[in-house]
Amino acid sequence: MGSRHFPSNPRESKASGPLRLGPRVAGSRLPAGGIAVLHDRDSWWVQRHGGALSDRLDQGDLVRIRHRALWEAGLPATLAHPRHDLTAHPLGVVPHLHLLDDAALDNLERYVAGRCRLVCGPGEHADGGTFHGTLWSKELVPTRGAEGLAAYRGGELDSRPAVLRHGRTRYLSTLPEPAALRALLAETAAEAGVGPVLAGLPDGVEAVRRGDLLFLLHHGHEPVTVTVTVDVTVPGRQRDLLTGTTVDSALTLDRFGAAVLEEHP
């Protein structure tokens, strides 16, 4: 049997750097103020055992779709339970929770009443005019004070609202196509005061803060240049703890590259 060559991940060659970072990040947490993507095991269990509204709805897929849209927009997000204290998160995203107890419902009502924002909804294909909805559609009856942000065009739901806003809550009656979902969540996040960890990132680059360190992770195959001075929380000069080099305004990440930046006087 012939041998096979498996290319190594460039990040592995820098293992000694991450090991030295252990004491710096041990016990640290992601900064408060990110987006909470709500997930409930009971709803997931019922959905997987014949209790779903449709066999085309999978809660795990809907959570991943929302989380990926936030990730691609560079927005900080974490999973949370609908009964948890959500007050540290200005925006909550509810992919598909059709089985909630009174405690969870009361908690979400308090959350919105506390000036936080909520995006709810699941995902027959529907044309919302500026985007296409997929997977699911339902008829919404606006209550007093509700504003339609997008409407269906054609079919049984022609002219009926596809996206409603009522106060600080938005409800999606369909699952927008990826680009439209990303734009909608980014717009809502901006209204809630949540922005990217580092603006202007190239595609495939992830930025995460842990304590006073900024982690940059490149998930792509081609080298990219990252500008680090567009973020007011990152002053002009940084030091990459993985390489020891000084970064004044930008750095290049190789394929699957990584950097860990701290302020350098």
Side-chain angles (χ1 to χ4, degrees):
M1 180 180 295
S3 63
R4 297 181 61 187
H5 172 69
F6 294 93
S8 61
N9 189 326
R11 293 175 188 164
E12 295 176 357
S13 64
K14 299 179 180 180
S16 60
L19 289 176
R20 291 195 299 268
L21 292 174
R24 295 284 302 272
V25 297
S28 65
R29 294 180 176 273
L30 296 174
I35 299 169
V37 180
L38 304 190
H39 174 64
D40 174 58
R41 182 176 176 82
D42 291 340
S43 288
W44 172 82
W45 188 92
V46 170
Q47 186 271 327
R48 295 297 297 268
H49 292 80
L53 300 177
S54 168
D55 58 7
R56 291 185 293 173
L57 287 177
D58 181 89
Q59 184 173 335
D61 288 342
L62 294 176
V63 169
R64 282 187 289 271
I65 289 170
R66 263 64 169 190
H67 191 275
R68 182 171 186 83
L70 295 169
W71 183 85
E72 290 178 345
L75 297 168
T78 187
L79 293 178
H81 192 277
R83 287 197 300 266
H84 288 172
D85 182 1
L86 304 172
T87 54
H89 305 284
L91 175 62
V93 177
V94 185
H96 178 53
L97 298 176
H98 64 282
L99 182 67
L100 291 176
D101 58 22
D102 290 342
L105 291 172
D106 291 343
N107 188 47
L108 294 180
E109 288 181 358
R110 290 192 299 269
Y111 175 72
V112 175
R115 306 191 66 79
C116 294
R117 285 173 166 78
L118 203 62
V119 177
C120 309
E124 200 150 339
H125 294 266
D127 183 353
T130 57
F131 66 86
H132 286 82
T134 65
L135 186 65
W136 183 267
S137 60
K138 62 192 301 185
E139 182 175 0
L140 299 180
V141 179
T143 59
R144 179 179 299 179
E147 173 190 4
L149 301 181
Y152 290 103
R153 187 173 63 195
E156 183 180 353
L157 297 179
D158 185 45
S159 77
R160 303 300 298 173
V163 181
L164 279 179
R165 175 168 57 194
H166 190 279
R168 288 179 291 275
T169 300
R170 297 191 185 197
Y171 189 88
L172 284 62
S173 69
T174 184
L175 177 63
E177 58 194 347
L181 178 63
R182 183 167 61 250
L184 186 149
L185 291 177
E187 177 185 352
T188 309
E191 293 176 358
V194 180
V197 175
L198 188 64
L201 285 175
D203 291 342
V205 176
E206 178 180 6
V208 180
R209 284 201 173 277
R210 294 300 294 260
D212 60 346
L213 301 180
L214 175 66
F215 289 75
L216 298 175
L217 306 174
H218 180 30
H219 300 274
H221 295 268
E222 301 296 330
V224 294
T225 299
V226 179
T227 302
V228 296
T229 56
V230 294
D231 184 356
V232 296
T233 64
V234 181
R237 176 167 291 190
Q238 307 290 308
R239 180 173 61 185
D240 182 1
L241 298 182
L242 297 184
T243 63
T245 58
T246 299
V247 179
D248 289 322
S249 59
L251 78 161
T252 298
L253 294 176
D254 294 330
R255 62 187 302 268
F256 303 124
V260 181
L261 303 182
E262 70 168 352
E263 185 177 353
H264 183 55

